[in-house]
Amino acid sequence: MLLQLRNIGMIKEAEVALDGLTVIAGENDTGKSTVGKALFSVLKARLFVFNEIEYNLVNSQYFQKTEWIFNKISKKELLNSNSFIKLDNIEVDFSKKSAIKGSKKFLDSIFIETPFIFNLYETLSAISNANSILDFEIPYNYLWWDLYIKLSHKAKTFSLIDFSDEIEFIEKIVGGTFKKYNEPTKNRWFFVRERCEYEMENVAMGIKQFAILYSLIRNGYLAPERIIIFDEPEVHLHPKWQLKFGHLIVQLIKKGVKVIVNSHSPYMIETLKRYSEIYELEDKTNFYLAKDGYFFLQESLENIFETLALPMRELKKLKLQRYMSEM
């Protein structure tokens, strides 16, 4: 399945395959995150205007909802009158202010932006309660809100995939397990190690990153009809754990989960490449380099690593300059 984008933020034109694992590498502000936000918007809007009887979409409502969601999750205006999004037979054309219905292949998306979500549990819960009784809406980050709901409640369509190996894999890495209470005053996750329970707010960010996947598995959200979007998952992970996290992602791909990873970490990118080869998933894995508003499919990682290695070359120049000045 192809995701096609035009004239959205930094993206001039992009065509990205969603076959299993899609990795988008590049420097900051090259449109990596925008791909995930566009995909999230069209799939999430689809849920709002879904007609259960005819499995159809009301075009004007679908367009308006897609635009509303995209603007709500973007910190700046990324859409214009020439923006265009297409996913299979889902199509949103901003020049015509129209949209057409889409297929059933992807029913939902999960955008994972930051493990800080666990620190926002009480805040988002309070906003939810307040918005239900106020005659105005308190603003909130919709990406965080959607993930908060998925971490708090079990999926209505519960995944039947056996992820017991992945659960054991996570518990071994973090040296503990995770437990959720469902009481109204205690509806959140805790980290458990050596019979001690720790509030997730007090747990290291790296552990929280693994906790998100653990929680989504336990709540039944990881399934082929829901695509997961990781936005720079390496940010809070030591290189050693980046390798573990990349390994875990490929394990999910092996079981049919579809994943997009935006990254500028050589550790994460090469890990995904090597484990996709080990698991014989090359035909379901695509690597792209985001540059100058376009996305270039990469048969090897050479160009990606050359781009990401530029800062190291700058440091070597500084070292050489100091050496020359001391001579």
Side-chain angles (χ1 to χ4, degrees), residues 21-286:
L21 172 61
T22 302
V23 182
I24 304 175
E27 299 177 354
N28 288 329
D29 202 27
T30 53
K32 301 190 305 298
S33 300
T34 303
V35 173
K37 290 179 179 179
L39 178 62
F40 178 90
S41 299
V42 296
L43 291 177
K44 194 60 62 177
R46 199 165 166 274
L47 292 176
F48 280 104
V49 293
F50 180 75
N51 185 316
E52 294 183 354
I53 299 175
E54 299 180 358
Y55 202 90
N56 203 345
L57 296 174
V58 180
N59 292 350
S60 61
Q61 291 181 352
Y62 185 29
F63 172 79
Q64 292 167 9
K65 205 66 182 180
T66 300
E67 185 178 41
W68 178 84
I69 291 174
F70 199 101
N71 286 330
K72 197 170 182 65
I73 66 178
S74 301
K75 295 181 179 178
K76 56 184 179 180
E77 291 292 338
L78 299 180
L79 300 173
N80 59 64
S81 60
N82 293 315
S83 296
F84 179 85
I85 307 171
K86 184 175 183 180
L87 175 66
D88 196 20
N89 60 336
I90 294 175
E91 185 175 304
V92 183
D93 190 334
F94 288 82
S95 65
K96 300 177 182 177
K97 295 189 176 181
S98 66
I100 61 174
K101 67 179 183 178
S103 67
K104 305 187 211 177
K105 184 161 186 179
F106 293 137
L107 298 182
D108 196 6
S109 58
I110 305 170
F111 197 109
I112 301 174
E113 188 174 42
T114 173
F116 194 71
I117 186 69
F118 286 110
N119 296 60
L120 299 169
Y121 241 67
E122 292 184 6
T123 300
L124 291 170
S125 178
I127 290 175
S128 175
N129 294 332
N131 284 343
S132 65
I133 59 176
L134 297 174
D135 56 1
F136 63 91
E137 182 180 86
I138 300 175
Y140 57 89
N141 184 307
Y142 191 78
L143 289 177
W144 296 356
W145 172 260
D146 183 72
L147 183 57
Y148 159 74
I149 293 297
K150 288 178 167 61
L151 297 178
S152 303
H153 306 284
K154 292 187 180 297
K156 293 181 180 179
T157 306
F158 202 89
S159 174
L160 299 179
I161 301 175
D162 181 8
F163 288 110
S164 55
D165 290 341
E166 286 68 36
I167 289 292
E168 184 178 347
F169 185 82
I170 293 173
E171 291 176 346
K172 184 176 180 180
I173 293 170
V174 301
T177 186
F178 301 95
K179 179 178 180 180
K180 183 177 181 295
Y181 291 95
N182 295 315
E183 293 87 347
T185 58
K186 204 177 183 181
N187 181 24
R188 56 191 185 277
W189 289 87
F190 290 80
F191 179 55
V192 183
R193 176 184 283 170
E194 297 178 352
R195 298 183 181 181
C196 294
E197 293 184 0
Y198 301 91
E199 294 268 4
M200 289 300 294
E201 293 183 17
N202 299 323
V203 174
M205 282 293 185
I207 292 178
K208 290 175 187 174
Q209 189 73 291
F210 282 96
I212 291 175
L213 276 180
Y214 189 101
S215 306
L216 291 173
I217 290 173
R218 287 299 195 198
N219 282 348
Y221 282 100
L222 298 196
E225 64 270 16
R226 299 186 185 95
I227 187 164
I228 307 175
I229 304 157
F230 289 101
D231 193 34
E232 299 176 355
E234 70 273 5
V235 171
H236 297 285
L237 296 174
H238 183 277
K240 181 179 178 180
W241 273 17
Q242 288 186 38
L243 271 60
K244 298 292 186 183
F245 200 81
H247 185 185
L248 178 60
I249 288 175
V250 178
Q251 286 179 275
L252 299 178
I253 304 298
K254 186 71 173 178
K255 293 193 173 179
V257 179
K258 306 294 189 299
V259 176
I260 294 178
V261 177
N262 305 321
S263 177
H264 44 48
S265 166
Y267 297 106
M268 178 63 70
I269 293 167
E270 184 159 8
T271 296
L272 294 170
K273 174 70 171 176
R274 301 311 165 204
Y275 277 110
S276 67
E277 293 172 346
I278 291 171
Y279 283 82
E280 298 181 346
L281 295 171
E282 294 97 323
D283 60 330
K284 295 184 178 181
T285 304
N286 296 283

